[in-house]
Amino acid sequence: MNTDQTCQQLTQLKLQGMASRYAVIAEQPVHQQPEAHAMVAMLVQAEHEQRILHRTQLYLKLAKLRYTAYVEQVSCKPERGITSEQLIRLSDCSFIQKGENVLITGATGCGKSYLACAFGRQACIKGYKVLYYPMNRFIEQLALARLDGTYIKWLNQIAKAPLLILDDFGLQPLSHDTKMALLQMLEDRYASGSTIITAQMPVGNWHEYINDPSLADAICDRLTANAHRINLQGSSMRKTKTS
């Protein structure tokens, strides 16, 4: 049996996971190699794991998350405003399947963006495509899409993303066009996609911040309905890291 030729054929068939595992098995003494059925199962499992890894790497690359964040590294303490039970419940990403939102508020530096990125990374691992926008970039992209004629295409792309993360909501005034785009986006995603919002201001102040009664009612209603709310507490995590 020509092991090298088999590995080459598997690679040509884009079965890299199988090829790598087969090469390892072939190097073992004959009496230690698994039987045919066990070997097939091992090769299939290796290919499955390889494809999941490749998909995760691709989704993370496309998401362009601000932080390389992990839910395992999120600090869960009573004084932090998030419990281990909340973290575990949201980490399984069932909220995405249900089209529920996550609203994360708290003072600057308390870990809002890190937590949002941790959920975003977890979503990529679970097989969900993620779009991440700091609000300033979202506004810039909106203006660019209107200028170059890709506005509808851009909105459709956002509508199809299972998870959208809007980071640092409320740091700058919103133009009427931005409010309308935000409403359209939330309308398209309602009950079919999840949105994570991070903001310094409490959710109760968002209506006043939007500063348009009709649009504010519509936007806040779509954001807060069936939403998970996390109000992070404590001193700046940045100060903790540098002290």
Side-chain angles (χ1 to χ4, degrees):
M1 181 181 298
N2 191 325
T3 301
D4 291 339
Q5 183 179 8
T6 301
C7 287
Q8 290 176 3
Q9 290 174 336
L10 288 171
T11 301
Q12 290 171 358
L13 291 170
K14 298 183 179 180
L15 299 172
Q16 188 61 51
M18 283 189 174
S20 299
R21 183 62 59 86
Y22 180 72
V24 172
I25 293 174
E27 291 179 355
Q28 298 175 347
V30 175
H31 68 279
Q32 293 183 4
Q33 293 179 4
E35 296 181 354
H37 292 294
M39 180 181 288
V40 170
M42 292 174 66
L43 295 178
V44 171
Q45 180 64 25
E47 183 61 32
H48 178 66
E49 292 172 355
Q50 177 69 22
R51 294 195 179 196
I52 290 177
L53 176 61
H54 177 74
R55 182 193 66 193
T56 300
Q57 291 174 336
L58 175 62
Y59 285 5
L60 285 172
K61 181 179 179 181
L62 295 175
K64 299 178 181 179
L65 299 172
R66 180 177 177 182
Y67 296 112
T68 303
Y70 302 87
V71 292
E72 296 85 359
Q73 297 178 353
V74 174
S75 174
C76 295
K77 299 178 182 178
E79 63 269 23
R80 282 273 290 149
I82 181 171
T83 64
S84 298
E85 290 75 14
Q86 277 182 301
L87 188 65
I88 293 171
R89 186 168 61 251
L90 292 172
S91 295
D92 70 5
C93 295
S94 59
F95 73 93
I96 299 177
Q97 294 177 338
K98 299 174 183 177
E100 298 171 344
N101 299 328
V102 180
L103 311 180
I104 306 172
T105 56
T108 181
C110 69
K112 301 183 301 297
S113 298
Y114 187 94
L115 180 59
C117 289
F119 288 143
R121 182 181 185 84
Q122 194 70 8
C124 290
I125 292 173
K126 294 287 187 180
Y128 297 103
K129 289 184 178 180
V130 177
L131 289 178
Y132 170 87
Y133 286 104
M135 276 304 295
N136 61 329
R137 290 289 181 86
F138 176 83
I139 294 171
E140 290 173 0
Q141 186 62 45
L142 169 62
L144 180 61
R146 287 188 179 280
L147 285 174
D148 63 15
T150 61
Y151 177 66
I152 300 299
K153 180 180 179 181
W154 181 63
L155 279 184
N156 289 337
Q157 179 187 16
I158 291 177
K160 293 176 182 178
L163 178 60
L164 170 68
I165 301 175
L166 295 179
D167 201 3
D168 288 331
F169 181 75
L171 291 185
Q172 60 190 99
L174 299 178
S175 68
H176 181 73
D177 285 346
T178 302
K179 296 172 189 176
M180 290 298 297
L182 187 59
L183 176 58
Q184 181 63 59
M185 177 193 71
L186 294 173
E187 179 66 28
D188 292 342
R189 297 175 55 76
Y190 187 71
S192 63
S194 296
T195 303
I196 295 178
I197 302 281
T198 75
Q200 291 185 28
M201 67 175 66
V203 175
N205 293 357
W206 291 7
H207 195 283
E208 180 181 358
Y209 161 69
I210 295 172
N211 195 29
D212 184 313
S214 297
L215 290 178
D217 283 344
I219 291 172
C220 290
D221 179 66
R222 285 158 179 77
L223 280 176
T224 59
N226 298 320
H228 302 268
R229 300 193 187 190
I230 300 173
N231 183 29
L232 293 181
Q233 305 290 333
S235 59
S236 173
M237 301 295 287
R238 298 189 183 100
K239 292 179 181 178
T240 301
K241 291 177 181 178
T242 57
S243 58

